[in-house]
Amino acid sequence: MTMEVLLSKMGVLSLLTSFFTAQDDNRVGPLYKHVFPPALAPSLSFVGLPWKVVPFPQFELQSKWIAGLLSNRIALPSKEEMMEDIKAFYSLLEASGIPKRYTQNLGDCQFEYND
């Protein structure tokens, strides 16, 4: 049995497919702070998507954030608030003339993001 067949039987493939069909110009999302899809947070999270970063400190901070959420030590905003934040971020990128494919390019903003 292939992994695709196994995931399909478990219903995981359709869930992931429905999430990833909204991709546009290599943008992964919508993701709150590049980690959480609001509809599935905190059950599904992504570590390490941002690029042009110092990777391992970035991964560690994202992982600690996820662990804090899963252990109920911290909480995410509501789904609506996360979507508002994502839309504001997308609007900022668009107003700055940044193509969608650079959504996860943090570059010089990494340390601001990490705070």
Side-chain angles (χ1 to χ4, degrees):
M1 181 178 306
T2 68
M3 182 61 82
E4 184 174 323
V5 171
L6 179 62
L7 291 175
S8 179
K9 287 184 180 202
M10 294 171 44
V12 174
L13 189 60
S14 63
L15 175 66
L16 292 175
T17 302
S18 67
F19 173 72
F20 285 109
T21 54
Q23 302 318 298
D24 186 16
D25 194 21
N26 216 27
R27 172 187 279 171
V28 179
L31 294 177
Y32 178 66
K33 305 298 183 192
H34 305 287
V35 178
F36 295 103
L40 302 171
S43 300
L44 181 64
S45 55
F46 297 90
V47 173
L49 285 180
W51 49 284
K52 284 200 175 180
V53 296
V54 181
F56 295 109
Q58 179 87 44
F59 301 165
E60 181 180 3
L61 290 170
Q62 289 177 328
S63 298
K64 286 181 177 182
W65 185 29
I66 294 164
L69 288 162
L70 294 176
S71 65
N72 294 318
R73 288 182 287 122
I74 54 178
L76 283 171
S78 70
K79 289 178 177 51
E80 294 78 20
E81 291 171 316
M82 287 191 281
M83 283 306 299
E84 286 176 22
D85 185 83
I86 294 165
K87 288 176 185 175
F89 176 64
Y90 287 176
S91 294
L92 177 67
L93 292 177
E94 188 176 330
S96 301
I98 298 172
K100 292 177 184 178
R101 67 183 167 273
Y102 292 111
T103 299
Q104 276 79 35
N105 177 359
L106 291 186
D108 295 335
C109 301
Q110 174 185 1
F111 301 103
E112 187 178 314
Y113 168 83
N114 289 347
D115 286 338

